[in-house]
């Protein structure tokens, strides 16, 4: 069920209680919020989908828009190795996968910078007012994007709280990226909120036992996110922004 900007405290408490029971925790004490990047901080997924399709076509790999959204959040090299294995039956090296990912990166940057997700700065302001730590956990490892994060969210985010593809050996949907985010934030799962837009990211957040909020900013059905384990689901980032003061 998608949640609107106005969320009653009783409904919110039901979801908190379900989260606590699911993971066997006694209480919920939020101290940090960990954001995915693409499709959450930036309205960038449509551009990534195009870049994936164009770049993989040059290597004889067919990748659809649905594939791009369904695998969003995973390390790019992992996605490429899986696609090549599935379509060509070949196990390529990490080095070869990186070469192919570099072409995807080139195609993405040809389209210019993606805009900020509407509502994200207001949401971060709400979070900062409450004294919570803000972090980013992304499957990307591109230095220009990391530099842009630090610039666009100056005052909210520093590099010490950014987890990239190169900080972990296993990407989403494994819990490792969000566990690393918690380590950098100095929090336990019951003190951590994850904000995601993709099924692999939701699975990673729930596997790390953080309270996981999905914002469906893409074309995938809501059910894909709820079945992945999202504790709450919103339609737009602006809805989450407006609901945040009541949630926490």
């Amino acid at each position: 069920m998608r949640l609107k900007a106005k969320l009653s405290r009783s409904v919110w408490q039901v979801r908190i209680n379900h989260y606590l029971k699911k993971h066997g925790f006694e209480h919920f004490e939020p101290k940090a919020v960990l954001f995915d990047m693409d499709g959450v901080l930036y309205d960038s997924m449509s551009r990534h989908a195009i870049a994936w399709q164009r770049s993989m076509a040059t290597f004889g790999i067919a990748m659809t828009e649905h594939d791009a959204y369904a695998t969003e959040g995973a390390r790019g090299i992992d996605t490429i190795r899986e696609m090549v294995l599935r379509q060509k039956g070949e196990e390529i090296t990490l080095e070869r996968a990186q070469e192919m990912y570099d072409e995807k990166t080139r195609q993405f940057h040809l389209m210019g910078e993606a805009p900020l997700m509407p509502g994200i700065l207001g949401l971060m302001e709400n979070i900062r007012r409450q004294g919570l730590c803000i972090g980013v956990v992304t499957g990307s490892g591109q230095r220009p994007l990391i530099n842009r994060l630090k610039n666009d969210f100056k005052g909210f985010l520093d590099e010490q709280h950014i987890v990239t593809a190169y900080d972990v050996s296993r990407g989403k949907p494994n819990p490792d990226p969000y566990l690393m985010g918690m380590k950098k934030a100095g929090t336990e799962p019951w003190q951590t909120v994850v904000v995601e837009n993709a099924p692999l990211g939701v699975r990673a957040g729930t596997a790390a036992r953080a309270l996981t909020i999905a914002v469906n900013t893409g074309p995938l059905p809501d059910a894909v996110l709820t079945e992945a384990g999202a504790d709450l689901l919103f339609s737009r980032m602006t809805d989450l922004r407006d609901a945040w003061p009541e949630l926490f």
Side-chain angles (χ1 to χ4, degrees):
M1 181 177 90
R2 289 187 184 221
L3 301 178
K4 302 300 182 182
K6 291 186 177 180
L7 181 66
S8 73
R9 190 168 296 277
S10 61
V11 172
W12 168 232
Q13 192 59 53
V14 167
R15 283 161 173 75
I16 284 289
N17 290 339
H18 181 267
Y19 161 76
L20 294 173
K21 183 178 180 180
K22 178 171 65 172
H23 295 293
F25 297 145
E26 293 184 356
H27 63 281
F28 177 59
E29 183 187 3
K31 292 186 176 180
V33 182
L34 305 180
F35 289 92
D36 178 38
M37 183 173 69
D38 290 302
V40 174
L41 302 183
Y42 297 107
D43 190 5
S44 53
M45 276 308 300
S46 60
R47 300 180 187 214
H48 277 291
I50 293 170
W52 272 118
Q53 292 174 83
R54 289 177 177 173
S55 61
M56 291 304 100
T58 66
F59 299 104
I61 299 297
M63 191 166 187
T64 66
E65 180 185 44
H66 182 275
D67 290 332
Y69 279 93
T71 59
E72 194 267 311
R75 298 194 308 170
I77 54 175
D78 292 336
T79 297
I80 289 170
R81 295 183 82 191
E82 181 179 340
M83 296 290 289
V84 172
L85 180 61
R86 188 189 313 161
Q87 295 188 24
K88 294 190 173 183
E90 300 175 13
E91 292 191 6
I92 61 174
T93 64
L94 289 173
E95 290 75 19
R96 178 56 175 163
Q98 184 63 56
E99 291 174 6
M100 295 171 70
Y101 184 62
D102 288 344
E103 173 60 17
K104 184 265 174 179
T105 299
R106 188 185 74 83
Q107 292 282 354
F108 178 74
H109 286 299
L110 287 176
M111 289 179 275
E113 290 189 340
L116 293 177
M117 186 64 70
I120 191 62
L121 290 177
L123 174 57
M124 285 198 175
E125 184 60 43
N126 286 339
I127 294 169
R128 183 171 64 177
R129 285 197 196 103
Q130 295 169 333
L132 306 183
C133 174
I134 295 174
V136 172
V137 177
T138 174
S140 174
Q142 303 170 38
R143 190 67 217 179
L145 292 180
I146 306 309
N147 290 336
R148 188 185 175 196
L149 280 173
K150 295 192 298 179
N151 181 65
D152 289 344
F153 300 102
K154 187 177 182 180
F156 298 113
L157 178 69
D158 57 57
E159 188 161 357
Q160 286 68 40
H161 293 102
I162 299 174
V163 177
T164 75
Y166 301 116
D167 287 313
V168 293
S169 58
R170 299 193 309 167
K172 303 172 187 178
N174 296 291
D176 306 38
Y178 281 113
L179 292 175
M180 178 61 71
M182 292 179 205
K183 182 178 180 181
K184 291 191 175 192
T187 59
E188 299 292 339
W190 61 87
Q191 299 171 322
T192 309
V193 179
V194 164
V195 181
E196 270 283 354
N197 72 306
L200 294 187
V202 169
R203 287 170 57 192
T206 57
R209 302 192 298 165
L211 183 115
T212 303
I213 299 175
V215 184
N216 195 356
T217 59
L220 298 179
D222 288 349
V224 173
L225 298 172
T226 55
E227 289 169 5
D231 297 297
L232 294 96
L233 175 67
F234 286 86
S235 306
R236 297 176 293 274
M237 196 62 65
T238 50
D239 286 345
L240 178 56
R241 175 201 63 195
D242 295 343
W244 192 270
E246 288 299 315
L247 297 183
F248 301 102

